[in-house]
């Protein structure tokens, strides 16, 4: 049944027009005889391993000279997962929320590692009057997408304290937008609260005096949930497991490099984000964001299930999810 749903999802994706906001770039051997592997990621801090692996040519080193490496960046996780389902990318980094939602919808994908934990911060607009979670009732908050990782973290935290969104009969108004544009939305007074992945929370603290309402250490799943996971398709695992292993080995090398060389990794990440967003971040801002993030490739299947249960409780999912077969730790061991 899941295979049928996966094929159906791919068919729909191929019919619909592609979402904008992304970009692609190639590196490696341009010989027409060579194979191409496309890796997806976002311009967020928790995707730093992809930027480091790209800059240091780690994917190329592990996959070999006869493989062309291409990179595709995405504005949000839903668009990323559509590309994976359609076979436009072989794998990459995405938030666990979109990965779970796609898996449940029938897309044949697997989590094969993590990228980082932490890095989600809830900030309020200066002048909004919001200093703590009690002040958020009736206000407007923004997340990258409905039901995305940061959205679920925030709404889980708020529901535990008796405040819910209009979507479920509560008072909080919800809009969506790309994190790189949060600052301008704060400046224009369009939103009151942002569920901000780093480094964008630190950017808004520095540039528009945003207030930290819920820190990374307190937000739901902030210490345990991967802020980004490495995913690939069932087809890749079943038919090209050697290549999947090489991708994971490059990713593990990048994570280790980040932990061993944080100062250089910060510089690489600043340049990588600027390349995609045309925003050159101050190093002090990135250093602040870095302190809220823990880079690791280890992933806990139980935490993924707990997060999925919370998504169901918040009515993002119609049925309680079963993630059997979703987390594959074979390649990171």
């Amino acid at each position: 049944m899941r295979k049928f749903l996966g094929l159906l999802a791919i068919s729909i994706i191929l019919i619909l027009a592609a979402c904008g906001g992304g970009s692609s770039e190639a590196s490696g051997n341009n010989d027409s005889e060579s194979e191409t592997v496309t890796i997806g990621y976002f311009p967020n801090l928790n995707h730093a391993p992809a930027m480091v692996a790209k800059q240091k040519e780690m994917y190329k080193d592990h996959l070999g000279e006869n493989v062309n490496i291409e990179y595709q960046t995405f504005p949000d996780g839903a668009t990323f997962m559509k590309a994976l389902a359609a076979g436009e990318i072989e794998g990459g980094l995405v938030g666990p929320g979109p990965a779970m939602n796609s898996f449940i919808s029938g897309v044949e994908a697997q989590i094969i590692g993590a990228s980082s934990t932490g890095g989600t911060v809830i900030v309020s607009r200066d002048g909004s009057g919001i200093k703590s979670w009690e002040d958020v009732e009736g206000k407007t908050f923004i997340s990258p997408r409905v039901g995305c990782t940061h959205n679920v973290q925030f709404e889980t935290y708020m529901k535990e304290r008796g405040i819910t969104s209009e979507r479920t009969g509560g008072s909080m108004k919800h809009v969506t937008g790309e994190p790189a544009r949060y600052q301008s939305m704060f400046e224009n007074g369009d939103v009151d609260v942002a569920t901000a992945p780093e480094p964008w929370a630190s950017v808004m603290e520095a540039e528009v005096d945003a207030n930290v309402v819920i820190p990374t250490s307190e937000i739901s799943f902030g210490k345990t949930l991967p802020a980004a996971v490495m995913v690939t398709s069932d087809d890749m695992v079943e038919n090209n497991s050697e290549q999947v292993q090489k991708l994971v080995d490059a990713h593990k090398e990048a994570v280790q490099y980040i932990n061993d060389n944080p100062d250089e990794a910060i510089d690489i990440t600043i340049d990588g984000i600027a390349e995609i967003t045309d925003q050159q971040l101050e190093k002090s801002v990135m250093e602040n964001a870095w302190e809220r993030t823990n880079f690791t490739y280890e992933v806990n299947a139980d935490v993924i299930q707990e997060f999925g249960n919370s998504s169901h409780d918040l009515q993002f999912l119609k049925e309680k999810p079963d993630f059997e077969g979703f987390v594959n730790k074979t390649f990171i061991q």
Side-chain angles (χ1 to χ4, degrees), residues 132-153:
S132 68
W133 64 265
E134 293 101 327
D135 304 321
V136 177
E137 188 162 9
K139 301 295 186 178
T140 300
F141 76 92
I142 188 170
S143 69
R145 290 287 290 246
V146 174
C148 72
T149 307
H150 316 293
N151 185 187
V152 174
Q153 286 183 271

Side-chain angles (χ1 to χ4, degrees), residues 108-174:
E108 296 182 333
Q110 297 180 29
I111 291 176
I112 53 176
S115 175
S116 65
T117 59
T120 295
V121 186
I122 311 303
V123 297
S124 67
R125 175 175 54 81
D126 186 42
S128 66
I130 300 172
K131 300 298 182 182
S132 68
W133 64 265
E134 293 101 327
D135 304 321
V136 177
E137 188 162 9
K139 301 295 186 178
T140 300
F141 76 92
I142 188 170
S143 69
R145 290 287 290 246
V146 174
C148 72
T149 307
H150 316 293
N151 185 187
V152 174
Q153 286 183 271
F154 176 59
E155 289 203 41
T156 298
Y157 182 95
M158 295 303 293
K159 185 176 181 180
E160 290 172 352
R161 288 154 180 80
I163 300 175
T164 58
S165 71
E166 288 184 336
R167 180 182 53 81
T168 57
S171 64
M172 294 190 300
K173 301 175 182 64
H174 184 200

Side-chain angles (χ1 to χ4, degrees), residues 111-115 230 244-245 247-249 251-252 255 296-301 327-333:
I111 291 176
I112 53 176
S115 175
M230 190 174 197
V244 173
Q245 185 64 66
L247 286 171
V248 172
D249 289 345
H251 175 68
K252 290 172 66 176
V255 170
T296 177
Y297 50 78
E298 298 291 348
V299 59
N300 187 327
V327 178
N328 183 348
K329 299 176 70 172
T330 303
F331 299 99
I332 61 172
Q333 293 176 345

Side-chain angles (χ1 to χ4, degrees), residues 30 37 86 111 122 152 157 230 311 314 318 323:
N30 291 320
V37 171
I111 291 176
I122 311 303
V152 174
Y157 182 95
M230 190 174 197
S311 294
L314 292 167
K318 293 182 179 179
F323 289 128

Side-chain angles (χ1 to χ4, degrees), residues 151-227:
N151 185 187
V152 174
Q153 286 183 271
F154 176 59
E155 289 203 41
T156 298
Y157 182 95
M158 295 303 293
K159 185 176 181 180
E160 290 172 352
R161 288 154 180 80
I163 300 175
T164 58
S165 71
E166 288 184 336
R167 180 182 53 81
T168 57
S171 64
M172 294 190 300
K173 301 175 182 64
H174 184 200
V175 298
T176 61
E178 294 180 29
R181 298 179 180 174
Y182 284 4
Q183 179 180 334
S184 64
M185 298 185 78
F186 266 33
E187 289 174 330
N188 295 333
D190 297 329
V191 296
D192 304 305
V193 175
T195 65
E198 288 290 12
W200 306 112
S202 293
V203 169
M204 289 189 288
E205 284 180 82
E207 299 295 331
V208 292
D209 295 324
N211 308 296
V212 174
V213 179
I214 309 170
T216 298
S217 59
E218 295 180 13
I219 191 67
S220 297
F221 304 102
K223 295 181 179 179
T224 58
L225 181 74

Side-chain angles (χ1 to χ4, degrees), residues 60-127:
K60 181 180 177 181
D61 290 343
H62 283 271
L63 289 168
E65 291 293 332
N66 292 326
V67 177
N68 289 328
I69 311 298
E70 294 188 351
Y71 300 92
Q72 179 76 33
T73 58
F74 296 88
D76 55 67
T79 311
F80 174 103
M81 291 305 299
K82 287 178 182 179
L84 182 70
E88 296 170 2
I89 60 175
E90 276 62 52
L93 302 183
V94 67
M100 294 177 197
N101 295 341
S102 296
F103 178 82
I104 293 165
S105 298
V107 175
E108 296 182 333
Q110 297 180 29
I111 291 176
I112 53 176
S115 175
S116 65
T117 59
T120 295
V121 186
I122 311 303
V123 297
S124 67
R125 175 175 54 81
D126 186 42

Side-chain angles (χ1 to χ4, degrees), residues 42-47 51 119 121 179 196-206 269-270 273 279 281-282 285-290 292-293:
F42 305 176
N44 290 340
L45 174 57
N46 47 39
H47 292 240
M51 293 179 243
V121 186
E198 288 290 12
W200 306 112
S202 293
V203 169
M204 289 189 288
E205 284 180 82
T269 304
I270 289 172
I273 290 174
Q279 290 181 252
L281 304 182
E282 295 291 337
V285 169
M286 187 63 78
E287 288 171 340
N288 184 64
W290 213 262
R292 296 167 170 166
T293 306

